[in-house]
Amino acid sequence: MSKKKKAIIIISVILAIVILAPYRSVLIMDGGSKGYGSVVYTVIKYHRLSEPDENENDTEYEVGWGIEIFDQQIYKNTHIIHEQ
C-alpha cells in the first residue's frame, strides 16, 4: 500500500469518528427529556410533562425514544403515562 492510500484511510477513519461519535448532551426544557447527539444524529429520551385536561386531576407524562438524522425525525416511539 502506498503512503497516499494509507493517509487517505487514516484521515477517513478519523473523520468518521469525529462525525459519528456522540460528544454532546442536549438539554431539553420540557420536564426531563434528554438528548444525545453528534454532528449527524440526535437520540432523544422523552420524559415530557403533558398539559393536564380540565376534566382530569391526574398528571400525564409522555415517555419514550426518538431519533433524528440531520434534524429530520426518523423514529419516535412514545406513550402516555397517567399519574394520580
Side-chain angles (χ1 to χ4, degrees):
M1 225 185 230
S2 68
K3 289 184 179 183
K4 187 175 182 179
K5 279 189 176 184
K6 285 182 183 180
I8 290 174
I9 291 172
I10 291 172
I11 291 171
S12 298
V13 168
I14 291 172
L15 187 61
I17 289 171
V18 168
I19 289 175
L20 297 175
Y23 66 88
R24 63 179 170 173
S25 176
V26 179
L27 180 61
I28 303 169
M29 304 297 280
D30 65 355
S33 297
K34 295 179 183 176
Y36 308 94
S38 71
V39 175
V40 176
Y41 66 91
T42 304
V43 177
I44 301 170
K45 182 179 179 187
Y46 292 104
H47 189 267
R48 180 182 307 171
L49 181 62
S50 299
E51 293 290 326
D53 291 336
E54 295 177 11
N55 301 336
E56 298 181 23
N57 293 332
D58 59 346
T59 305
E60 294 181 344
Y61 291 97
E62 180 184 11
V63 295
W65 289 88
I67 299 173
E68 297 176 358
I69 295 179
F70 294 116
D71 293 330
Q72 297 293 321
Q73 188 170 31
I74 62 164
Y75 177 77
K76 185 175 181 182
N77 183 12
T78 61
H79 58 277
I80 303 293
I81 295 178
H82 300 278
E83 290 186 1
Q84 295 281 342

